Amino acid sequence: MSAPFRDQAIHALQDEQLRENFRGAMDFLQGKRKAVFSDTIELENLRQQGHQIKAEALANLPELLEQLDSQCSKNGIQVHWAETPEQACEIIHGIIEQNNGKLAVKGKSMVSEEIGLNHYLEARGIECLESDMGEYIVQLAQETPSHIIMPAIHKSKSQIATLFNATIPDTPYTENVDELIGTGRRILREKFQKADIGISGVNFAVAETGTLCLVENEGNGRMCTTVPPVHIAITGIEKVIPRLSDLPPLLSLLTRSATGQLITTYFNLISSPRKPDEKDGPEAVHLVLLDNGRSRMYQHPELRETLRCIRCGACMNHCPVYTRIGGHAYGTVYPGPIGQVVMPQINGLDQQGEMTEGCSLNGACGEVCPVEIPLPDLIRKLREERVQPQPAESPVNGAGSHRTRVEATAWRFWRWVYQHPELYRIVTWWATRLGSMLPNRLGPWTRTRVKPVIARQSLHEIMRERSNQPD
């Protein structure tokens, strides 16, 4: 575990308010998910359906992306391709400049967080205001989201009241939730009316019809995509699905897994800009498709499973590590189990591979994943890739970066001993007799554990004595 991650995790564990906030929120979300998935047979059927749809989409990803591009273009949606975050930001900035935009309102989009869009636009004199209430709160606090579905879940009611009182002029301190929400809505509604550009994410992009699907509960997503004259949608290339008929099971899995809802309050299907006979909607719609390492993930036969994710956050809600340290301790856009798989592949195992060690491999994330991503297996695979002896043969960025000659030699020696029974007996005999000579400090092992006590006899010796068999 890297020093910053470890230090941040330790700091988070010492914050009782933070732990209380996350414990309460995760218990609440787990309970809601359990209530809407009370029929376990239906749940397993849905999971298998979701798995098959996303597996088919991955198997045909290049063709589906081409089909999506073609259908969107026929519908009047302008499609842009970005290989890197910098390219995506440049494309979006270029569209805003072409339309003389100065104010953008943004619906919830983790991909926009991934590319650092807000800071990029602000540095160029364009105000980019978050319109999702949770995102608005973390933007006011100059923080980053701590959860991919509920960005401000780390904050209590009193902390939000203090924040509003300190940062919004003429706002009295109140812990009345309705009044707090009303304050945020009043400010955001004014911005919606003045905004030149609306920016949103995409939950699913349907290749068959060129339709962009967006689900939300606050109505801000619909305002972002209909009120400003220009709408820019940004998404990762893995969000494409083959057919419109694939949406119902995926949406059912997404909303139930994310917030324990049978369906969200708003369900948007965007297939074109406003037509001449329509009264509302944007005059232009742009779709930015982001790669940012996803093609590299696609090349790995096992790690490509990462691209099945529908970003519901259920893995985080059930992760005992995430529940205790929260999202900010990871220091990455995507925290929790899915973050431990996604971020090291995007930024490289040499930069963020240590995240994979912040996992107890208890398996809860894999058990609740609505599209059956084997997250514990992927985390284990990434740990393996970190010590990969032939990194040139791996498509994973930073493979082999954690391999050390001492550790590799130790494991080769152990394999050699293990292959020779006589040698194994000699080594274990000496190890049991000299075990008491182990130093008290054994590096990372004794950082959080006591020194292991070596048995005075090996198991083989004990069993031989019990059975009175000659040595």
Side-chain angles (χ1 to χ4, degrees), residues 163-193:
L163 176 69
F164 276 28
N165 176 244
T167 56
I168 302 175
D170 304 322
T171 302
Y173 180 93
T174 175
E175 294 187 12
N176 183 300
V177 174
D178 290 338
E179 288 184 26
L180 290 170
I181 296 293
T183 300
R185 281 182 177 163
R186 189 185 68 250
I187 292 168
L188 291 172
R189 191 161 288 273
E190 291 173 7
K191 295 291 186 180
F192 280 126
Q193 293 170 352

Side-chain angles (χ1 to χ4, degrees), residues 79 125 138 153 211 251 289 380 388 401 407 468:
V79 181
V138 296
I153 202 166
T211 303
L251 285 172
L289 291 167
R380 266 196 301 270
Q388 161 75 256
S401 58
E407 186 174 346
N468 293 320

Side-chain angles (χ1 to χ4, degrees), residues 125-287:
I126 297 169
E127 183 183 359
C128 189
L129 186 72
E130 296 287 350
S131 64
D132 174 90
M133 191 54 66
E135 291 277 3
Y136 176 67
I137 291 167
V138 296
Q139 188 177 35
L140 273 183
Q142 299 183 342
E143 297 176 349
T144 55
S146 59
H147 191 285
I148 64 173
I149 299 297
M150 283 150 284
I153 202 166
H154 57 288
K155 287 196 174 297
S156 67
K157 190 167 53 178
S158 62
Q159 288 172 325
I160 295 170
T162 303
L163 176 69
F164 276 28
N165 176 244
T167 56
I168 302 175
D170 304 322
T171 302
Y173 180 93
T174 175
E175 294 187 12
N176 183 300
V177 174
D178 290 338
E179 288 184 26
L180 290 170
I181 296 293
T183 300
R185 281 182 177 163
R186 189 185 68 250
I187 292 168
L188 291 172
R189 191 161 288 273
E190 291 173 7
K191 295 291 186 180
F192 280 126
Q193 293 170 352
K194 297 176 182 174
D196 311 297
I197 305 289
I199 301 173
S200 77
V202 176
N203 291 106
F204 301 103
V206 184
E208 178 186 47
T209 56
T211 303
L212 311 178
C213 173
L214 180 65
V215 294
E216 40 122 3
N217 281 311
E218 299 173 14
N220 65 303
R222 184 160 295 181
M223 297 282 275
C224 285
T225 57
T226 56
V227 177
V230 178
H231 170 213
I232 304 171
I234 178 167
T235 188
I237 59 173
E238 78 281 12
K239 293 291 184 70
V240 65
I241 58 173
R243 297 166 293 272
L244 200 59
S245 59
D246 294 328
L247 269 180
L250 288 174
L251 285 172
S252 182
L253 285 167
L254 175 61
T255 59
R256 292 201 216 184
S257 301
T259 54
Q261 293 174 282
L262 293 173
I263 189 168
T264 48
T265 309
Y266 293 87
F267 174 53
N268 307 289
L269 291 175
I270 302 160
S271 294
S272 73
R274 184 202 311 176
K275 293 175 182 172
D277 58 342
E278 293 178 336
K279 293 182 178 178
D280 59 9
E283 296 162 8
V285 178
H286 297 261
L287 172 64

